[in-house]
Amino acid sequence: MNALIETLRAIVGEPHCLVADADKAPYLTDWRGRYTGTASAVVLPADTAEVSAVVRACADAGCAIVPQGGNTGLCGGATPLAGSAAVVVNLSRLRRVRRVDPANNAIVVEAGVTLVAVQAAAEEADRLFPLSLASEGSCEVGGFISTNAGGVQVLRYGNARELVLGLEVVLPDGQIWDGLRALRKDNTGYDLKQLFIGAEGTLGIVTAASLKLFPRLRASATAWLAIADPAAAVDLLGRLRAVAGDRVTAFELVSRQSLDLVLQHIPGARDPLADAYPWYVLVELTDTRIDAGLEELLEEEVGQGVDAGLILDGTIAASTTQAAALWALRENISEAQKREGVSIKHDISVPVSEIPRFIALAGERLEAAYPGLRIVCFGHLGDGNLHYNQSRPVKGENSAFIERTAEVNRIVHGLAAELGGSISAEHGIGQLKRDILMFYKPPIELEMMKILKRAFDPEGRMNPGKLL
Amino acid sequence: MNALIETLRAIVGEPHCLVADADKAPYLTDWRGRYTGTASAVVLPADTAEVSAVVRACADAGCAIVPQGGNTGLCGGATPLAGSAAVVVNLSRLRRVRRVDPANNAIVVEAGVTLVAVQAAAEEADRLFPLSLASEGSCEVGGFISTNAGGVQVLRYGNARELVLGLEVVLPDGQIWDGLRALRKDNTGYDLKQLFIGAEGTLGIVTAASLKLFPRLRASATAWLAIADPAAAVDLLGRLRAVAGDRVTAFELVSRQSLDLVLQHIPGARDPLADAYPWYVLVELTDTRIDAGLEELLEEEVGQGVDAGLILDGTIAASTTQAAALWALRENISEAQKREGVSIKHDISVPVSEIPRFIALAGERLEAAYPGLRIVCFGHLGDGNLHYNQSRPVKGENSAFIERTAEVNRIVHGLAAELGGSISAEHGIGQLKRDILMFYKPPIELEMMKILKRAFDPEGRMNPGKLL
């Protein structure tokens, strides 16, 4: 091991090869503080060549590797296991924007560039990079690609996968694959980049990416609408998209319980409507045209939704400040929940058409098993993706409830599976959901995944203990 | 072999297991008539279970399999090799639309459903399936997925790959993988469906697919614009998308030579403009809103293009009939070329920003090597994809020229590669471009492709001699 560390030091330079416990510590705990692991060293290479040399040295020494970016993942995917002697390869020093090509609507960025920096580089070229997440200030290109990140714009622009034109990857043996194409069409064999997107660093290390850019959005309109139930939300989404098409950029569902937590815990938050309603949707329309008439369109559609009995009340933001206040109600749900106390969290997806059934059945089954429990339900309805969290409303009872996480998970995940859904819509698997994945993933799919893993990482040295 | 044929007959029924030469013949020649192969049998299973049984029987007998759909491919990918004893598995009897879910914008169709039938089923549910190709009346789901088909809507909706939510696949050992999900978000491991999209049947047989649907388009505006050169086209596309965003559904480039062939060979075709110009673009805007104001938007943008010196002349269709006439000029180029005689054809892509350089340099290099040759250049400029074809204008000289295909290819493909492009943007590889692929594909990518092939089809029985 000492020989390996000497080699790593020679490759990245002594200041970038951390071996002292205090130096390594910040890289060995995940963002949520749920996992703490161990590592022989944390190395921070400066460029792709150094990543390649590091990976080759680890391969020669038979040493495991944990790739890491901004370390903002929610499932412990970038944290080494406890007792591990792996080398953590942190990509944060690969920070170059290599190329911006506005005429081709493409940008090439290195793995350590933060998401906000990608957005800023796009904007500088009068373009939009649409991916947007709570952690965008810290999360990095390599990480959002390796976790196929989602966020609030998926309905319109897709997940990270849909935004990738090409990748540069260091393979488990240290070879560099330069797949940094910027083509919209290329039918010359297997689409190799797909292997590494969402693979959580288990097949190689993403060192750079060629990403899609889009025209900038110059108009938006935002509404907060009260509805009777989730079925009304699905109906409303269908009607709205039929007319407004891709102008519908966000369509978020918020339960009253979610709003109540925000009103209670977030200073300055206020209910935009005079009365209380059981459910809300936050709708955003956007357009590239400045004079797109979005407010009029939204007013008309809201009027028709009211006439059809789908919308009970609502407000359309009259300014960007008002729109931001409506968005803050949605975006502060996680923070408000945190202040309220711990809860059992889920990140499930089902077909959009099954959302009402999921919410009804999950509610029934949970209430039957745990009478009086509190459900905080919100999320990206347009993508069929709900954040669906449970706790006891009385704080003293909560720690006992949390101990039953596995049972609660079984009800929620079991129903998602029943309805053709996913146990992890956007957060990935990492360490957190590996056992759950083994339970719900059909054996044939686990086998196909293992075939891929064995084919590209036969020694199992890439991010061991994650995903598979 | 006789034992295998007996088994196949028992699986699919005698009328669907073809062994007589006359019965097999229609399935052994590709659509262009370029390749004719041989096969022990052509079987037409009725459903996925039969496909699975057929594949398992072939696996037991160590017999190769050639999957086939509507047999409209342009590269011989669905035609067995000459001298082959493979079994052709034609999927055309798998014709069920299994499920339409408008609220989830998804449809599940079997491999043998034609593209027009998918479009029709979507329309019946008041939705759009946007994929659109010249061969849409005959090409089938399994084929357009296995070739990752493109067409005229890629700029707005992406290739076939982007339209797939899930797949059902029969693996080389006969196992059925039911990956027919209809989720927008599912981050539970490797995205296995990507393996089979564009794989040309070399890793398994696609038997059904879950596909994305979109809101129907209810307004469109079409313009035929004369421009000085391809750089003006790229500039114009950028300006137009900045304002009109995804309303820009098609942006096709047409050279004067291409138009001349259409005017010469297609009865009723006429030049929409009074004077002749070197280049044209055909632009289509669409919208889900009936009252989208697309004509006004297009007029305004064309006016600004004229003011900026980018547009030399043009016409905006005043009716759907006029729009269809403009589209016919573009769509009849292939037919007009065919009537003119043979030519050396290319289907290349480069970054959109490199299109002007590609056209300039390729023209120079070809003219230097073959003075006076005729270049017919047209295609999906918005996707960086050109159909770029060469012939001698004097017919008597053409057959000698065609013999130099390999040299001409080297100039055209070499330049595409130089500019970061692809030698096959949308038609795939099949038999036609296998050797060319071996030449241009970086060794590391060929090796990664082979790793995948060996992992999933270790005996190399799936569509041998294609792609790899």
Side-chain angles (χ1 to χ4, degrees), chain A residues 171-407:
Chain A
L171 301 177
D173 63 0
Q175 280 190 92
I176 299 167
W177 170 48
D178 178 0
L180 285 177
R181 295 191 187 81
L183 303 174
R184 255 66 188 179
K185 284 182 173 175
D186 178 22
N187 276 344
T188 56
Y190 310 142
D191 191 3
L192 300 169
K193 67 177 178 287
Q194 305 291 348
L195 290 170
F196 305 98
I197 302 169
E200 304 191 8
T202 60
L203 299 177
I205 302 182
V206 172
T207 50
S210 171
L211 301 170
K212 287 184 194 170
L213 300 179
F214 295 83
R216 279 178 73 178
L217 299 172
R218 294 175 201 276
S220 71
T222 309
W224 178 268
L225 306 172
I227 53 172
D229 53 36
V234 172
D235 194 347
L236 202 58
L237 174 63
R239 288 161 180 252
L240 193 60
R241 291 193 80 194
V243 174
D246 277 334
R247 295 174 184 85
V248 187
T249 313
F251 197 91
E252 300 282 311
L253 183 72
V254 176
S255 72
R256 180 71 209 184
Q257 292 94 324
S258 311
L259 178 61
D260 277 340
L261 286 182
V262 173
L263 298 177
Q264 189 182 334
H265 291 290
I266 305 296
R270 60 169 211 83
D271 190 337
L273 305 179
D275 298 314
Y277 296 92
W279 293 93
Y280 304 92
V281 289
L282 176 63
V283 179
E284 187 167 274
L285 305 186
T286 60
D287 204 307
T288 47
R289 291 182 72 173
I290 296 173
D291 53 347
L294 294 182
E295 286 82 3
E296 296 78 355
L297 175 59
L298 195 50
E299 272 165 27
E300 200 182 306
E301 290 304 303
V302 168
Q304 293 192 7
V306 170
D307 293 345
L310 293 170
I311 299 174
L312 307 177
D313 194 3
T315 179
I316 296 177
S319 66
T320 50
T321 314
Q322 280 185 20
L326 297 179
W327 268 106
L329 294 176
R330 161 65 183 89
E331 283 167 348
N332 276 318
I333 298 172
S334 290
E335 181 60 27
Q337 270 190 110
K338 207 181 199 176
R339 294 189 191 177
E340 174 73 8
V342 289
S343 60
I344 303 175
K345 291 178 193 297
H346 302 97
D347 165 42
I348 63 93
S349 68
V350 292
V352 174
S353 50
E354 295 285 19
I355 287 272
R357 202 139 68 107
F358 176 86
I359 292 175
L361 286 176
E364 277 170 30
R365 293 180 190 178
L366 287 168
E367 176 62 27
Y370 309 98
L373 93 168
R374 176 164 58 197
I375 296 173
V376 174
C377 172
F378 64 100
H380 317 293
L381 183 120
D383 314 320
N385 175 200
L386 294 178
H387 301 303
Y388 190 81
N389 306 333
Q390 291 76 41
S391 60
R392 301 298 308 183
V394 183
K395 270 179 195 167
E397 300 172 2
N398 214 19
S399 55
F401 178 67
I402 297 296
E403 277 170 25
R404 308 184 72 167
T405 297
E407 291 163 43

Side-chain angles (χ1 to χ4, degrees), chain A residues 65-67 77 142 146-147 196 198-206 453 457 461-464 466-467, chain B residues 190:
Chain A
I65 290 171
V66 178
S146 297
T147 56
F196 305 98
E200 304 191 8
T202 60
L203 299 177
I205 302 182
V206 172
K453 175 72 175 173
D457 180 25
R461 289 185 306 94
M462 296 305 300
N463 213 4
K466 314 299 167 57
L467 193 53
Chain B
Y190 309 142

Side-chain angles (χ1 to χ4, degrees), chain B residues 130-179:
Chain B
L131 194 71
S132 179
L133 310 171
S135 61
E136 60 195 25
S138 325
C139 86
E140 298 173 3
V141 169
F144 74 63
I145 289 174
S146 297
T147 56
N148 186 28
V152 291
Q153 49 63 52
V154 174
L155 179 60
R156 164 65 191 82
Y157 295 98
N159 297 288
R161 183 180 301 279
E162 276 81 41
L163 304 175
V164 176
L165 290 171
L167 291 180
E168 179 187 83
V169 178
V170 172
L171 301 177
D173 63 1
Q175 280 191 91
I176 300 167
W177 170 48
D178 177 359

Side-chain angles (χ1 to χ4, degrees), chain B residues 8 15 47 57 128 139 182 200 214 224 260 324 340 354 372 378 411-412:
Chain B
L8 296 176
D47 55 29
L128 170 74
C139 86
E200 303 191 9
F214 295 83
W224 177 268
D260 277 340
E340 174 73 8
E354 295 285 18
F378 63 101
I411 294 174
V412 174

